[in-house]
Amino acid sequence: MAHSLHAPPRPRSLTGRLARGLALVPLAAMLAGCNLVVMQPSGDVAVQQRNLILASTGLMLLIIVPVIALTLVFAWRYRESNKEAVYDPDWHHSTQLEVVIWTAPLIIIIALGALTWISTHVLDPFRPLQRIEAGRPVPEGVKPLTVQVVALDWKWLFFYPEYGVATVNEMAAPVDRPIEFKITASSVMNAFYVPALAGMIYAMPGMETKLHAVINKPGDYNGLSSHYSGSGFSRMTFRFLGLQGGEFDQWVAKTKAEGKDLSREAYLDLEKPSEQVPVTYYKSVADGLYGLIVNMCAVPGKMCMNEMMRIDAAGGAGPESHENREKLQYDNRHVREGHEPPGATTPASHRPPRGQVQPEGMKPDGKNPAVRGSDPQPDRGDGPAAPQDPVAPAQRSN
C-alpha cells in the first residue's frame, strides 16, 4: 500500500495530449461567433478581394505547412531516445537540400509578386468597373450611380447628385448597377468601409478619393469607419441597402417625401460633432455644397482651397506682386555686387546677409512667398510684366 501511494504518476502520451488540444480548436471557433462577411461578400469587388486573400494564403501555406510538418518530424526522428537515427555532428552541407530550400520560396515569392501586381491594377479603386460579376461585363450605356460621401464627426453624409437628395447614416444602391463613390471628410482623416461591398478607402479633408464598386445581392449591410477618428469612432456606422431597381426608386421617393432641406446653414449645424445620429433624409441640397465641403469653405466668407491654389499658381495676389518682384530683382542685383540697395525699404531683420541673395519669390516683409520657382511672372493684363533679371543663372546660384 505504501508503495502504491508513492509511485510516480504515469506520463501522458504525446498523442493523447495533442488530440485533446486539437479538439479545442473548433470549440474556440464556435465561441468566437464571428460573422466572416469578408469571406462571404455580396459585391464583385469584395469577391475578387476575397479570392486574392485565399490565393495569397494558399501560396504561403505551400511553405508554412511543410516547414511546420518537417519540424515536428525532425524533432521526433532525432530525439535522444531514438538510437536508430544517424548522428553525424560533422555534417554541414547538402546541395540537394539547398536547392529545395531556396527554389521553392523563390517560386512562391515570384507568384505572389505577380498576383499582387495584377490585382493592384485590376482592383484600383479609382478605376471604373469593367464587369458586374464574373462572366458579366458592364452593359453598354449603363451610367454608374454617383454617391458623394462626407465623413463628419461622427456620422456619414451621402449626396445623390443625380436625384438631388442626401441622407445621413443610410445609403442605398440598385443591385447590379456600378457605383462611383466620391469621398471626402470635413475635419479629420477617416476611412469608408462596407465589408460586403469593397475594401476600405480613406476620406481626407481638402481631398477627394474615389471608389468603384457594385452590389450583386439585395440585402441590408453594415458600413463603418475603419480608421480611428475620435471619441465617437466606434459608433460611426451606417446602413447600406442593396435594392432591386423598383425598390431603389421607392427609396428615393421616400427620401424626398420625408426629407428636409439641406441648406448651407443646415449643413454647418450638422457638421458639429455628434454621436449616434439617427437616419436623416434631405429632399433637397444647396447648390454646390459638396464642392464647398471638398474645398473646405462651407463657412460663408472663407476662401476656398481651389481659389487659393489658383491665385498661388498665378504668382500671387493682385498687382502688388508685380511690384514686389520687380523690387526684389532690383535689390538682389545690388546685393550680388556687395553693397546695400539704395533706398532699401526691406527691414534689416528680413534682409539677407551681405552677398546672399533673397529668393525672388519672397515679398520684402519676409513672408508670404508669392512666386513659386524662378519662372517669370505671367502677364494677366492687370499691370506691366515684370522685367527679367539680366544676371546669368550661374551668377545667380552664387
Side-chain angles (χ1 to χ4, degrees):
M1 178 67 67
H3 178 74
S4 62
L5 289 175
H6 296 283
R10 297 178 59 185
R12 297 180 179 179
S13 65
L14 177 63
T15 305
R17 284 181 290 182
L18 182 60
R20 281 188 289 271
L22 293 176
L24 296 177
V25 174
L27 294 178
M30 293 174 62
L31 291 174
C34 296
N35 181 14
L36 298 179
V37 63
V38 175
M39 294 291 104
Q40 298 176 340
S42 301
D44 183 62
V45 174
V47 168
Q48 294 182 69
Q49 293 173 336
R50 187 269 315 270
N51 296 340
L52 175 61
I53 293 174
L54 294 177
S56 301
T57 303
L59 286 172
M60 290 184 286
L61 289 177
L62 291 177
I63 285 293
I64 295 174
V65 172
V67 168
I68 293 176
L70 289 174
T71 300
L72 298 175
V73 169
F74 290 163
W76 177 256
R77 169 69 177 171
Y78 297 101
R79 68 191 186 279
E80 184 180 3
S81 60
N82 186 12
K83 304 302 182 181
E84 298 179 358
V86 177
Y87 176 66
D88 185 5
D90 296 325
W91 182 90
H92 65 280
H93 179 73
S94 171
T95 302
Q96 293 83 358
L97 188 58
E98 291 284 347
V99 170
V100 173
I101 289 175
W102 290 104
T103 302
L106 182 61
I107 293 175
I108 292 176
I109 290 173
I110 293 174
L112 279 172
L115 183 64
T116 302
W117 189 90
I118 294 172
S119 301
T120 299
H121 289 80
V122 172
L123 298 175
D124 181 1
F126 280 70
R127 179 181 179 179
L129 297 183
Q130 304 297 317
R131 72 181 202 184
I132 299 299
E133 58 182 348
R136 293 179 58 195
V138 176
E140 294 185 6
V142 173
K143 182 181 178 182
L145 173 67
T146 300
V147 181
Q148 298 166 335
V149 183
V150 182
L152 303 173
D153 296 332
W154 288 273
K155 48 200 169 283
W156 293 94
L157 174 61
F158 304 98
F159 294 102
Y160 288 80
E162 182 179 343
Y163 301 94
V165 298
T167 60
V168 172
N169 286 343
E170 180 180 290
M171 69 161 295
V175 172
D176 291 340
R177 180 179 177 183
I179 312 170
E180 180 186 20
F181 293 99
K182 298 181 179 180
I183 306 169
T184 189
S186 62
S187 59
V188 298
M189 187 171 76
N190 221 298
F192 174 79
Y193 188 30
V194 182
L197 181 69
M200 76 169 192
I201 190 74
Y202 281 115
M204 293 172 280
M207 299 179 62
E208 180 185 86
T209 53
K210 292 184 180 182
L211 175 66
H212 290 83
V214 62
I215 191 71
N216 301 117
K217 300 177 183 178
D220 190 341
Y221 306 100
N222 294 324
L224 66 147
S225 165
S226 57
H227 186 96
Y228 182 74
S229 58
S231 61
F233 156 75
S234 61
R235 291 170 290 278
M236 193 173 172
T237 59
F238 63 93
R239 297 176 64 195
F240 174 75
L241 304 176
L243 305 175
Q244 300 290 354
E247 295 175 343
F248 178 74
D249 294 336
Q250 295 175 8
W251 180 84
V252 173
K254 174 185 176 182
T255 302
K256 292 183 177 180
E258 301 179 5
K260 302 177 290 185
D261 295 322
L262 184 59
S263 62
R264 196 167 176 177
E265 293 74 18
Y267 167 76
L268 293 176
D269 186 63
L270 177 66
E271 186 185 29
K272 298 175 182 177
S274 57
E275 300 180 20
Q276 296 181 311
V277 177
V279 174
T280 309
Y281 301 121
Y282 295 96
K283 62 182 179 181
S284 65
V285 179
D287 293 339
L289 180 57
Y290 176 75
L292 295 175
I293 298 172
V294 174
N295 287 286
M296 304 182 71
C297 56
V299 177
K302 184 177 180 180
M303 180 177 288
C304 296
M305 287 184 59
N306 59 349
E307 179 65 16
M308 287 191 291
M309 289 187 288
R310 187 193 68 80
I311 293 174
D312 183 63
E320 66 173 357
S321 61
H322 293 277
E323 302 171 1
N324 289 330
R325 180 178 175 85
E326 183 178 357
K327 177 65 171 59
L328 287 171
Q329 290 175 339
Y330 180 74
D331 289 353
N332 283 336
R333 286 196 294 271
H334 285 81
V335 172
R336 294 187 190 100
E337 296 172 2
H339 55 78
E340 293 290 336
T345 58
T346 304
S349 60
H350 292 151
R351 287 202 299 268
R354 184 180 299 276
Q356 178 180 339
V357 179
Q358 181 174 350
E360 294 178 358
M362 187 68 71
K363 288 188 176 183
D365 59 359
K367 302 178 182 178
N368 186 18
V371 180
R372 306 179 78 174
S374 58
D375 294 336
Q377 175 82 9
D379 186 6
R380 302 194 303 272
D382 53 357
Q388 299 301 307
D389 191 345
V391 182
Q395 295 175 314
R396 184 181 295 114
S397 63
N398 294 329

